[in-house]
Amino acid sequence: MNQSQTIALYQPVLQSIAQRILGSVADAEDIVQDTLLKWLTIDTTKVQNTKAYLIKAVTNNCINHLNAIKRKKDECLESIKPQELIDKYKELELFNFDFENEVSSALNVIHKKLEPLEKGIFVLREFFDFDYDDLQEVFNKKKDNCRQLFSRAKSKLNQETSKIKSDISNSNFFESFKNSCHQDDPKELIKHFNSELKKNN
């Protein structure tokens, strides 16, 4: 069996394994493609069990990919400082007034109308000026997916919101938002969003 035949034979099973590990079709395709490209560069005559070799290679590459994402996410959490947002609040003298009365109604609408992932992407982009590269790292979603979710969130918030009257001034979401603004650091808010996503999965 030549290398082309090997790729045609094993690519479906490798794709299935990678997708189960990563939970993403696009990421799985990238990992499998990279693995098979490397396969074309090695001396395959020394490989006794081709299927086992390729499965192990794909599995290891998937694990390395997940570890790399985790490292980037941790670095992102350590480095992001939303100073522009804080400066904007200070210019408006928002902190000289009752913070909760000023923003709770707006956050209430966001909290009630958006799904957890939509809410996380919308708040971090709209209020903390995250770009799509940052959002991709924080939520482990492709940039195009983040753009779609942000657009969907804006559409939802543009709809009629007069029926939403419940108060969230004591909710974890509001407290995390408030603390993140006061501390010039969105770590607490990002942790809140990730916690919500875990509860909904």
Side-chain angles (χ1 to χ4, degrees), residues 76-93:
C76 180
L77 290 177
E78 291 296 329
S79 63
I80 295 170
K81 297 288 184 179
Q83 191 59 48
E84 291 183 6
L85 172 71
I86 304 305
D87 291 342
K88 186 185 299 183
Y89 274 135
K90 290 178 179 178
E91 288 173 6
L92 294 173
E93 297 183 344

Side-chain angles (χ1 to χ4, degrees), residues 24-190:
S24 166
V25 174
D27 287 347
E29 289 175 349
D30 291 342
I31 292 295
V32 171
Q33 183 178 13
D34 289 344
T35 303
L36 292 176
L37 286 174
K38 185 175 181 180
W39 165 260
L40 295 174
T41 67
I42 68 171
D43 181 5
T44 57
T45 60
K46 298 179 180 180
V47 178
Q48 295 181 351
N49 188 326
T50 299
K51 183 178 181 181
Y53 178 92
L54 289 173
I55 289 175
K56 182 177 181 181
V58 164
T59 301
N60 288 340
N61 289 339
C62 287
I63 293 172
N64 291 338
H65 178 71
L66 292 175
N67 288 336
I69 289 175
K70 184 178 183 303
R71 286 195 300 271
K72 289 180 180 178
K73 188 181 295 185
D74 291 341
E75 290 171 2
C76 180
L77 290 177
E78 291 296 329
S79 63
I80 295 170
K81 297 288 184 179
Q83 191 59 48
E84 291 183 6
L85 172 71
I86 304 305
D87 291 342
K88 186 185 299 183
Y89 274 135
K90 290 178 179 178
E91 288 173 6
L92 294 173
E93 297 183 344
L94 183 59
F95 291 129
N96 293 330
F97 298 97
D98 184 347
F99 185 96
E100 295 185 8
N101 290 336
E102 291 293 327
V103 300
S104 63
S105 60
L107 292 180
N108 178 61
V109 174
I110 293 171
H111 181 68
K112 293 297 181 182
K113 295 215 69 170
L114 302 183
E115 298 295 327
L117 186 55
E118 294 172 342
K119 179 169 58 178
I121 288 174
F122 179 82
V123 170
L124 291 178
R125 178 155 176 79
E126 191 75 3
F127 292 92
F128 290 87
D129 200 28
F130 276 40
D131 60 29
Y132 289 110
D133 288 323
D134 295 328
L135 295 173
Q136 177 177 257
E137 298 300 338
V138 170
F139 295 109
N140 192 21
K141 297 291 181 182
K142 294 289 186 181
K143 286 191 287 187
D144 287 343
N145 193 10
C146 291
R147 288 190 184 93
Q148 292 172 357
L149 289 167
F150 178 72
S151 177
R152 185 189 307 166
K154 291 190 72 173
S155 296
K156 286 184 177 182
L157 294 175
N158 286 334
Q159 297 171 3
E160 178 60 45
T161 59
S162 60
K163 295 181 181 180
I164 305 177
K165 298 178 180 179
S166 60
D167 181 17
I168 64 159
S169 60
N170 293 321
S171 73
N172 290 333
F173 170 50
F174 184 86
E175 290 301 318
S176 296
F177 182 90
K178 182 173 63 175
N179 292 337
S180 291
C181 289
H182 278 303
Q183 296 168 10
D184 291 14
D185 193 333
K187 282 184 182 178
E188 182 175 341
L189 191 58
I190 292 172

Side-chain angles (χ1 to χ4, degrees), residues 3-39:
Q3 290 179 317
S4 297
Q5 292 172 325
T6 299
I7 290 174
L9 178 62
Y10 294 124
Q11 187 168 11
V13 68
L14 297 176
Q15 176 71 27
S16 176
I17 291 170
Q19 189 171 334
R20 285 201 302 271
I21 296 174
L22 300 175
S24 166
V25 174
D27 287 347
E29 289 175 349
D30 291 342
I31 292 295
V32 171
Q33 183 178 13
D34 289 344
T35 303
L36 292 176
L37 286 174
K38 185 175 181 180
W39 165 260

